[in-house]
Amino acid sequence: MTRETRTLPALAPGSTDTTFVIKGYDEVVPHDIVWGDHSHPFHELLWNERGATSAVVGARVWTVTPSLGLWMPAGTLHSGSAAAGTWFRASFFDFRTTASISDTPVAVEITPLLRLLLERLGEPGLPAASRAATEVLVLDVLRPSPRELLVQVPASALLRPIAEAVRTDPGDLRTLTDWASELGVSTRTITRAFHTETGTSFARWVAAVRAQHAVTLLSRGWDVESVAEQVGYRSASAFGAAFRRTTGLTPGAFRHN
């Protein structure tokens, strides 16, 4: 399969002049795409019309979907990727006139209202007064979401084998006890390390990795039962419950999002 790597510059916040308050961009990618490390002089809201994309900042990996976007503050160094057929969208916010909703990347729920407002800004011939009024409304409803599809990738020598194995094969069924035995340490040692490096438990970290992989497969048209098996669940119902706890949506609802 063809894969394209795009290179973009790393620019400081406000380092270039902008003539907009909010500006939209969208693209349907014809093949798999990877963006190398880069940063923008403006704030960016990443969201998708169709499919899922990934954004990486340091050891943190977010999945962006049609219902869950990501706010990227100006100057934040990040990379990303998108699968063939993904329709991704981005809204750029002027650094000088728009205060960032967060000092660090943060998830944003793409509500029907926010979507309509952002789409209105893309209408050709929109009068200046209407544009200004719509931009005010966008900034009014734009806020961080308590939900996010985020995986903090551990990097210690202890947890690296676990991270590499589960991210390579989210269907890996080894338990905390299995890993403790394999690595020659106690379950308590692994548990403490996960909390220290990722801020969450081993079980929740694995569930997040599985959810991110499941989102990618669902966006490619896989049926729910096949996805459940691929990411390590014994039944579609167990997968559905775990997926909903992590994403706030059922797998079926995500497929039709």
Side-chain angles (χ1 to χ4, degrees):
M1 181 178 292
T2 302
R3 185 175 187 177
E4 176 188 353
T5 298
R6 296 186 182 179
T7 302
L8 296 172
L11 299 175
S15 59
T16 61
D17 292 330
T18 55
T19 58
F20 58 82
V21 177
I22 303 174
K23 180 181 179 181
Y25 175 82
D26 70 288
E27 180 182 352
V28 178
V29 297
H31 39 249
D32 292 355
I33 288 183
V34 173
W35 290 269
D37 284 339
H38 63 282
S39 59
H40 304 290
F42 38 72
H43 308 304
E44 181 182 31
L45 175 63
L46 300 165
W47 54 296
N48 293 342
E49 191 69 35
R50 180 179 67 243
T53 53
S54 293
V56 182
V57 178
R60 293 170 293 169
V61 183
W62 283 267
T63 296
V64 178
T65 73
S67 60
L68 202 57
L70 181 66
W71 177 266
M72 192 70 67
T76 303
L77 193 67
H78 61 286
S79 59
S81 61
T86 301
W87 182 358
F88 77 87
R89 307 188 71 162
S91 298
F92 307 131
F93 295 74
D94 178 42
F95 173 75
R96 292 185 175 85
T97 59
T98 305
S100 182
I101 64 172
S102 173
D103 293 333
T104 58
V106 66
V108 172
E109 185 175 359
I110 306 300
T111 63
L113 175 58
L114 179 57
R115 179 184 295 272
L116 284 172
L117 292 171
L118 292 173
E119 288 177 346
R120 187 175 193 231
L121 291 176
E123 294 178 0
L126 185 67
S130 297
R131 170 172 291 278
T134 304
E135 289 169 341
V136 169
L137 290 173
V138 168
L139 297 175
D140 185 55
V141 303
L142 191 64
R143 59 180 57 90
S145 169
R147 293 192 298 113
E148 58 184 353
L149 274 171
L150 169 63
V151 169
Q152 177 89 20
V153 182
S156 68
L158 172 63
L159 299 186
R160 192 179 302 120
I162 303 176
E164 290 177 350
V166 176
R167 295 189 72 211
T168 299
D169 176 17
D172 191 314
L173 296 178
R174 278 174 286 187
T175 65
L176 182 61
T177 301
D178 293 333
W179 277 112
S181 176
E182 188 169 323
L183 297 175
V185 297
S186 68
T187 57
R188 182 174 295 181
T189 296
I190 295 178
T191 297
R192 283 199 303 263
F194 260 100
H195 275 288
T196 299
E197 291 191 53
T198 71
T200 192
S201 68
F202 167 78
R204 288 185 176 180
W205 185 86
V206 171
V209 173
R210 289 176 170 177
Q212 284 194 337
H213 192 63
V215 161
T216 300
L217 297 180
L218 289 168
S219 69
R220 291 177 174 173
W222 283 45
D223 63 78
V224 174
E225 289 75 15
S226 297
V227 174
E229 181 179 358
Q230 185 73 14
V231 298
Y233 291 94
R234 290 185 171 86
S235 68
S237 59
F239 164 60
F243 188 85
R244 186 166 189 170
R245 282 195 301 270
T246 305
T247 67
L249 294 172
T250 66
F254 176 81
R255 286 191 72 200
H256 295 95
N257 209 298

